[in-house]
Amino acid sequence: SQPPDVAMPAAKAETCARAFDFFEALRQELDSPRALAEIIDVQRAVLGMQRRLAPRAATEWQRFPVLAAGAEEILRRPEPPAKEDRLGAPAIKAILECQALHTDRPRELIKACAEDWLPSLDDDPRAEPPEEQPFLTLKTAPHYLKVMFGLLRAECAKLGLPAPAARLEARALEETYRGFDASAVSAELLELIELFSSLAQSMRGKYQSSAAVMSTVIRESAAFMLWFNARALPFIASQFLAQHTEMIAMLKALQPTTRMLQSLCVDVKSKLQTSSLIPATKLKRELENLLFKVKVMLQQNNCREAFWVGNLKHKNTVGDEVGSQMQVEVGGKKGARKRAARDTPATDDDEAEGDEEEDGAGEAPAASRRAPQPVQDLGQDSAAEEEEEEDEDEDEDEDEDE
């Protein structure tokens, strides 16, 4: 016989497993996606109870891979013709989260989504979804991206990389990572960077069709770059001389994605997508931090000449050169403002601004071209000027009435 502190949790784990198996048998007899989603919710709750009651349950009573397989099966089913049986976007997200949280092959799932599912999605909202993922559309694509980016962050956290203090010397950095297997961590880190690049670029070419997709990629990429700058880059700096080839390969794998992300930030400004301004600002700040930290890393390792500085053109996702500031056209009002806008001569001076870039880290904005019409930057001054001009117009109207 087993001690009570061992027998009781084992019995509870067995009871939960048998309850799960009951609903699994019931799920095999159902065809409605809505009913299957309800069964998945119940099974997920049962496993959550098992985790609380018996956190160290024996392997024979664990059903996490079975739950992940059940969620995957639902997402692969063709969408039913009856409207009452169809799944909404929140239900699809919940099922996808269930699959991601309980799968025993998380990186394979991310790779399949980034390289197979999302790229096969048509940018036409009226197009049929991919055969392999019938519920994947432009409307549900942001949910797929959020879940996969969240799963990627969980995989990054498993590395256990610390966040050392800024401006540590090389010897202090080596002491920080003394207990790590540098070669194994480097291999896993390269794999995670490649997964991030594939996931961030999986919807490339479709951002013009969905602002929600663009906003999701910007938000999730900012979170990943924050982790990379705080935890991955210090590790790269500590191993830069010992594993020079591997560290350069990581930065090169990240470079195309940082360029694409920079273009997304440009699109947000040029299209005045105010809901994405704050995430785009955070992302741009992390991209700039990456440049500066790589420059410091090279300088500390006596490789300063490898840092190339240049002025780069400011382009959006379709390759058009645009200004670096978010601008709007001045609206023509009746009276003096309209005449002033018509009579104002065009200026020949162009404003240019350049940022530094490291060869292998990303692309920074370079120059803004001259606007064809008088423009002004968004800000507090514009609102005050409009109020003053309105007061002047009212005074002119009163004079005319008198």
Side-chain angles (χ1 to χ4, degrees):
S1 61
Q2 296 178 338
D5 57 342
V6 177
M8 290 298 294
K12 294 176 181 178
E14 180 181 359
T15 302
C16 292
R18 295 190 185 282
F20 180 93
D21 294 340
F22 168 79
F23 287 104
E24 179 65 17
L26 179 61
R27 188 179 68 82
Q28 302 296 332
E29 301 177 1
L30 299 176
D31 293 328
S32 170
R34 190 179 292 272
L36 292 173
E38 294 175 354
I39 294 293
I40 288 292
D41 289 340
V42 174
Q43 290 179 311
R44 186 174 178 178
V46 169
L47 291 187
M49 182 178 297
Q50 183 189 59
R51 188 185 293 110
R52 292 191 301 271
L53 298 177
R56 299 181 180 180
T59 306
E60 60 178 321
W61 303 122
Q62 294 181 2
R63 299 293 188 269
F64 301 118
V66 179
L67 181 59
E72 180 182 3
E73 181 183 351
I74 296 176
L75 294 176
R76 291 181 180 273
R77 285 174 173 261
E79 191 172 16
K83 188 175 182 179
E84 60 272 10
D85 290 335
R86 296 178 182 177
L87 296 176
I92 294 173
K93 180 184 178 182
I95 297 173
L96 189 61
E97 287 178 344
C98 181
Q99 179 185 3
L101 289 174
H102 299 91
T103 183
D104 55 351
R105 299 185 302 272
R107 299 187 185 184
E108 294 182 11
L109 178 60
I110 298 173
K111 186 175 182 180
C113 184
E115 298 183 1
D116 298 330
W117 305 348
L118 292 174
S120 63
L121 180 62
D122 199 308
D123 57 354
D124 186 359
R126 297 169 296 180
E128 293 293 328
E131 183 177 355
E132 189 177 2
Q133 291 291 320
F135 293 100
L136 178 58
T137 62
L138 283 178
K139 185 178 180 180
T140 60
H143 298 308
Y144 279 76
L145 287 168
K146 289 179 182 178
V147 173
M148 293 303 136
F149 271 110
L151 186 58
L152 177 62
R153 288 196 300 271
E155 289 298 300
C156 293
K158 291 179 181 178
L159 291 181
L161 294 176
R167 300 180 180 178
L168 284 181
E169 296 182 355
R171 184 174 299 178
L173 278 177
E174 292 177 2
E175 290 293 332
T176 304
Y177 302 102
R178 182 173 294 277
F180 290 82
D181 185 349
S183 299
V185 173
S186 299
E188 288 199 45
L189 187 56
L190 177 59
E191 181 181 1
L192 293 174
I193 292 174
E194 291 175 345
L195 287 176
F196 166 71
S197 298
S198 299
L199 195 57
Q201 299 192 64
S202 60
M203 297 291 290
R204 191 166 189 170
K206 303 178 179 67
Y207 298 118
Q208 307 299 325
S209 304
S210 176
V213 169
M214 179 187 295
S215 178
T216 302
V217 171
I218 290 176
R219 291 176 185 271
E220 300 298 334
S221 297
F224 178 86
M225 292 305 302
L226 177 63
W227 172 86
F228 183 85
N229 289 336
R231 299 180 183 272
L233 201 55
F235 172 80
I236 294 176
S238 68
Q239 303 296 320
F240 190 77
L241 293 180
Q243 303 184 67
H244 178 76
T245 304
E246 291 81 359
M247 302 303 110
I248 292 297
M250 293 182 193
L251 296 177
K252 285 186 176 181
L254 193 61
Q255 180 184 18
T257 305
T258 55
R259 289 180 175 176
M260 186 270 297
L261 294 175
Q262 182 67 40
S263 299
L264 290 185
C265 294
V266 173
D267 265 3
V268 167
K269 285 188 176 182
S270 63
K271 295 180 179 179
L272 305 180
Q273 296 180 357
T274 55
S275 61
S276 301
L277 279 178
I278 294 179
T281 302
K282 293 180 179 179
L283 175 57
K284 192 172 181 179
R285 181 169 60 246
E286 294 303 327
L287 294 176
E288 292 172 353
N289 288 339
L290 174 63
L291 295 179
F292 295 134
K293 289 185 176 182
V294 168
K295 180 179 178 180
V296 172
M297 178 185 68
L298 295 175
Q299 190 168 356
Q300 290 177 346
N301 291 278
N302 298 323
C303 302
R304 177 64 181 83
E305 64 279 0
F307 192 88
W308 178 82
V309 180
N311 293 332
L312 306 177
K313 294 182 179 180
H314 214 80
K315 296 183 178 181
N316 57 16
T317 53
V318 296
D320 296 333
E321 188 176 347
V322 297
S324 61
Q325 302 296 325
M326 183 169 61
Q327 299 175 333
V328 294
E329 295 182 359
V330 177
K333 288 184 63 176
K334 295 181 179 179
R337 186 193 302 182
K338 189 172 183 180
R339 291 192 298 271
R342 183 178 62 249
D343 298 335
T344 301
T347 179
D348 294 330
D349 297 331
D350 291 340
E351 294 181 358
E353 56 183 25
D355 288 342
E356 295 178 343
E357 181 202 359
E358 183 272 331
D359 187 16
E363 182 165 342
S368 60
R369 64 183 181 183
R370 182 179 59 199
Q373 299 182 23
V375 295
Q376 68 180 21
D377 295 338
L378 289 178
Q380 299 178 354
D381 295 339
S382 61
E385 291 174 359
E386 287 184 5
E387 293 180 359
E388 293 178 359
E389 292 176 356
E390 289 176 357
D391 294 338
E392 293 177 359
D393 293 341
E394 293 177 359
D395 294 340
E396 290 178 2
D397 293 339
E398 292 177 358
D399 293 340
E400 292 176 0
D401 293 338
E402 292 177 358

